[in-house]
């Protein structure tokens, strides 16, 4: 527990109004989470002003308010901590309040456009097999050993993230494996975290609506390697970098620590050779000084998953995990929710659901499907609203080039008109579609039903964009929507018709 004056001492120019010895039991920016002794953070957002919720926070027991405003109406007995820069203040006081939880655990940060989730799950599995208690913070969920918690951003904001890390520390986690987004690095949501191993998977076009240029996007990712290079209370800092990706060079330039490179196409510390991608998995040999030549037969397929495996193995080697443990886990690993996930509902064709929502991701998944396809590939995909518009025609062009049947549909249209989004996707589809079948079906459920209706024996229906997500974000509401559930319903309906 800290006093408000202790927090104020950390922030230059801060002022405490009221009782300077007010004890703070927690820090929250959501009044619904406030409790006795809470410091309530008043964030003046674009749509909702946190100051409006001071009465609710105080009614719930909040003892103090954090604000940038000169005048704040608070009840008697409630202290006010006024600062000039709210975000900078939070970046400083929140990790301090929780006694810097990341210093008590080994923290592995994974960044890159694609592959973060699969890499994190494989890394978690290896560490657990080695006998460690592991926390996971990822796109799909937060996990503390086998306990599962929901997550709303790939990397939560500093208030939520530090609270989560403190909980993990208190529950005895030895390791935290964390997906680290470019937004989080650019916005410093990872403030106060001492990383031990940083992993770079790849860099392809995404989030240009936010970063504006690929260069900015790359430099945001590189911040993770600056962070892992900083001196801290722990030893043994390592950068694990894919040097087959052109951006790998930049990551290494920003990593002033031990470096471990991996690749397929060129010499590296960790290299995959004799790669054979099959419908049932992937076979290859891993070459590394500590591993020797490790022959692997995986139950996950695709060249992208060979890279994901190397990412995870690189992290495991950086953390000195024994080769025999690594090998055992890799040979038994099967899948990650929503990542090239098979939907089995008794049909005589394949249905695959994947989270791919970038040009590179879509290309990787469709090329893998093409390698294992016996007959047609029917691709269902769309592009999210209020996001990078430039990738829409690119994704349409890739889908038309690699699939036999293209069904363009909605994918979280948000505030945009779904028809307008699809018109931009179709501009790319028309460039490559030729004589192939192409349909535009705005309703995603209808699109999936149509794909299943068209499928014949040994075809592959591949549903892209949402993967593990179980919702659809529309203009004025968020509805339940799970591609896997809908695919099963479509198969069941098809059987009934027959």
């Amino acid at each position: 527990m800290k006093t408000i004056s202790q927090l104020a001492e950390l922030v230059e120019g801060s002022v405490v109004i009221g009782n300077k010895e007010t004890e703070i039991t927690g820090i929250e920016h959501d009044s619904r989470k406030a409790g006795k002794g809470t410091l309530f953070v008043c964030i003046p957002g674009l749509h909702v002003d946190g100051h409006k919720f001071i009465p609710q926070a105080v009614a719930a027991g909040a003892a103090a308010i954090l604000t940038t405003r000169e005048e704040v109406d608070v009840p008697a007995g409630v202290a006010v901590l006024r600062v000039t820069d709210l975000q900078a203040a939070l970046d400083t006081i929140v990790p301090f309040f929780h006694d810097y939880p990341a210093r008590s655990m080994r923290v592995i940060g994974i960044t890159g456009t694609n592959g973060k989730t699969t890499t994190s799950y494989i890394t978690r599995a290896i560490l657990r097999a080695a006998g460690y208690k592991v926390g996971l913070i990822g796109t799909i969920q937060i996990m503390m050993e086998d306990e599962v918690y929901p997550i709303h951003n790939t990397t939560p904001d500093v208030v939520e993230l530090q609270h989560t890390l403190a909980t993990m520390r208190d529950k005895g986690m030895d390791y935290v494996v964390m997906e680290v987004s470019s937004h989080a690095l650019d916005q410093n949501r990872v403030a106060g975290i001492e990383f031990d191993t940083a992993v770079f998977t790849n860099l392809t076009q995404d989030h240009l609506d936010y970063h504006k240029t690929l260069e900015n996007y790359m430099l945001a990712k590189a911040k993770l390697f600056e962070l892992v290079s900083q001196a801290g209370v722990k030893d043994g800092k390592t950068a694990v970098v894919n040097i087959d990706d052109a951006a790998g060079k930049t990551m290494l330039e920003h990593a002033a620590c031990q470096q471990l490179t991996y690749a397929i196409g060129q010499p590296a510390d960790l290299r995959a050779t004799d790669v054979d991608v099959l419908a049932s998995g992937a076979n290859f040999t891993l070459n590394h000084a500590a591993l020797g030549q490790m022959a692997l037969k995986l139950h996950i397929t695709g060249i992208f998953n060979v890279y994901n495996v190397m990412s995870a193995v690189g992290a495991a080697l950086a953390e000195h995990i024994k080769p025999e443990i690594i090998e055992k886990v890799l040979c038994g690993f099967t899948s990650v929710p929503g990542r090239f996930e098979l939907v089995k509902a008794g049909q005589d064709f394949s249905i695959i659901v994947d989270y791919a929502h970038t040009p590179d991701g879509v290309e990787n998944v469709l090329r893998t499907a093409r390698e294992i396809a016996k007959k047609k590939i029917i691709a269902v995909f769309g592009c999210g609203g209020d996001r990078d518009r430039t990738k829409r025609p690119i994704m349409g062009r890739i889908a038309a080039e690699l699939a036999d049947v293209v069904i363009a549909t909605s994918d979280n249209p948000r505030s945009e008109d779904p028809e307008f989004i699809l018109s931009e996707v179709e501009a790319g589809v028309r460039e490559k579609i030729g004589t192939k079948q192409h349909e535009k079906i705005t309703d995603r459920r209808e699109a999936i039903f149509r794909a299943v209706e068209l499928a014949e024996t040994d075809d592959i229906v591949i549903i892209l964009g949402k993967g593990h997500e179980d919702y659809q974000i529309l203009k004025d509401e968020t509805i339940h929507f799970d591609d896997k559930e809908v695919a099963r319903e479509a198969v069941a309906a098809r059987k009934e018709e027959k």
Side-chain angles (χ1 to χ4, degrees):
M1 194 178 297
K2 306 288 192 297
T3 65
I4 196 168
S5 62
Q6 286 177 300
L7 302 183
E9 286 172 7
L10 300 174
V11 184
E12 186 176 352
S14 64
V15 176
V16 176
I17 302 165
N19 182 5
K20 291 181 170 56
E21 299 309 309
T22 298
E23 292 187 335
I24 304 301
T25 61
I27 301 175
E28 297 289 353
H29 49 49
D30 185 338
S31 61
R32 294 167 297 185
K33 295 180 180 179
K36 185 177 181 180
T38 296
L39 172 65
F40 177 61
V41 183
C42 299
I43 298 177
L46 292 174
H47 305 292
V48 180
D49 186 347
H51 293 83
K52 293 181 180 179
F53 297 93
I54 290 175
Q56 290 93 320
V58 171
I65 304 300
L66 177 63
T67 183
T68 57
R69 293 186 180 174
E70 292 283 339
E71 300 291 334
V72 182
D73 185 18
V74 298
V78 176
V80 175
L81 173 55
R82 189 172 71 231
V83 297
T84 55
D85 186 325
L86 189 64
Q87 191 57 55
L90 287 173
D91 292 349
T92 301
I93 68 175
V94 177
F96 167 79
F97 175 80
H98 290 290
D99 297 319
Y100 302 98
R103 295 177 181 176
S104 301
M105 302 172 284
R106 299 287 293 179
V107 181
I108 298 173
I110 302 165
T111 198
T113 306
N114 300 308
K116 296 187 295 295
T117 299
T118 300
T119 297
S120 68
Y121 272 70
I122 298 173
T123 303
R124 169 182 176 268
I126 293 171
L127 292 171
R128 294 188 77 193
Y132 294 109
K133 296 182 72 174
V134 184
L136 176 79
I137 301 173
T139 305
I140 299 175
Q141 60 200 3
I142 291 172
M143 300 182 77
M144 302 182 201
E145 286 289 88
D146 292 320
E147 293 182 72
V148 178
Y149 306 83
I151 192 166
H152 305 292
N153 294 307
T154 299
T155 312
D157 64 59
V158 67
V159 173
E160 292 182 18
L161 182 53
Q162 290 292 327
H163 181 268
T164 298
L165 290 170
T167 303
M168 288 181 172
R169 175 198 57 203
D170 296 344
K171 287 180 174 287
M173 299 301 114
D174 302 298
Y175 273 90
V176 177
V177 179
M178 182 164 72
E179 295 183 47
V180 187
S181 70
S182 58
H183 289 69
L185 289 161
D186 188 63
Q187 296 168 9
N188 202 29
R189 295 183 208 160
V190 292
I193 297 178
E194 183 181 335
F195 290 94
D196 300 286
T197 294
V199 179
F200 170 68
T201 60
N202 51 62
L203 187 94
T204 60
Q205 182 175 334
D206 198 17
H207 303 305
L208 296 193
D209 55 309
Y210 177 85
H211 294 290
K212 307 306 179 186
T213 70
L214 202 58
E215 176 80 5
N216 291 343
Y217 181 37
M218 178 173 65
L219 292 176
K221 296 285 189 190
K223 288 181 181 179
L224 179 62
F225 296 89
E226 295 172 1
L227 292 174
V228 79
S229 302
Q230 293 175 356
V233 301
K234 296 175 284 183
D235 297 322
K237 306 303 175 75
T238 307
V240 179
V241 175
N242 174 10
I243 58 170
D244 274 347
D245 190 288
K249 181 180 178 183
T250 299
M251 305 304 146
L252 292 173
E253 288 170 351
H254 287 255
C257 59
Q258 178 176 310
Q259 300 176 351
L260 190 158
T261 60
Y262 67 93
I264 296 174
Q266 59 183 305
D269 299 320
L270 178 64
R271 189 177 185 187
T273 57
D274 305 317
V275 179
D276 186 16
V277 175
L278 309 167
S280 57
N283 302 334
F284 60 96
T285 301
L286 266 182
N287 302 270
H288 182 270
L291 300 175
Q293 291 187 318
M294 181 182 287
L296 295 172
K297 292 188 177 183
L298 302 183
H299 297 291
I300 54 177
T301 191
I303 197 71
F304 58 93
N305 271 327
V306 176
Y307 279 102
N308 293 337
V309 164
M310 286 195 289
S311 298
V313 171
L317 290 171
E319 295 299 324
H320 308 291
I321 306 300
K322 294 178 180 178
E324 56 268 29
I325 294 173
I326 295 173
E327 182 175 15
K328 182 178 180 181
V329 170
L330 295 180
C331 291
F333 192 84
T334 53
S335 67
V336 176
R339 269 61 177 180
F340 215 80
E341 185 176 359
L342 284 168
V343 177
K344 298 178 180 179
Q347 75 278 13
D348 60 358
F349 54 92
S350 297
I351 299 176
I352 297 169
V353 170
D354 195 275
Y355 186 55
H357 59 284
T358 66
D360 184 67
V362 169
E363 182 172 0
N364 283 337
V365 170
L366 288 178
R367 285 199 184 281
T368 298
R370 178 57 63 198
E371 290 174 6
I372 64 177
K374 294 180 180 178
K375 292 186 179 177
K376 298 194 306 294
I377 295 176
I378 303 169
V380 180
F381 82 105
C383 291
D386 302 332
R387 296 294 185 267
D388 180 10
R389 288 175 55 189
T390 64
K391 69 182 183 181
R392 293 172 184 173
I394 300 172
M395 289 169 62
R397 188 162 59 247
I398 291 168
E401 182 179 351
L402 296 175
D404 299 290
V405 179
V406 174
I407 301 177
T409 190
S410 294
D411 180 351
N412 294 335
R414 300 181 176 87
S415 70
E416 286 194 73
D417 179 358
E419 293 289 341
F420 175 73
I421 296 172
L422 290 181
S423 71
E424 297 198 318
V425 171
E426 286 197 301
V429 172
R430 283 191 291 271
E431 289 181 32
K432 292 285 184 180
I433 197 68
T435 59
K436 296 178 183 177
Q437 185 173 348
H438 163 230
E439 298 185 24
K440 182 182 75 171
I441 303 175
T442 306
D443 183 279
R444 191 173 180 92
R445 178 184 176 84
E446 186 182 334
I448 293 172
F449 268 68
R450 176 60 173 159
V452 169
E453 177 190 346
L454 291 172
E456 299 174 339
T457 302
D458 291 333
D459 283 349
I460 296 177
V461 172
I462 190 153
I463 307 168
L464 301 167
K466 299 184 65 60
H468 63 280
E469 293 179 351
D470 60 359
Y471 56 84
Q472 181 87 305
I473 305 173
L474 309 177
K475 184 172 291 186
D476 53 0
E477 63 177 338
T478 298
I479 63 170
H480 177 78
F481 195 98
D482 186 317
D483 284 350
K484 290 173 286 187
E485 287 180 10
V486 175
R488 291 188 186 99
E489 290 170 10
V491 172
R494 172 175 158 146
K495 289 178 180 178
E496 286 179 10
E497 289 176 2
K498 290 182 177 180

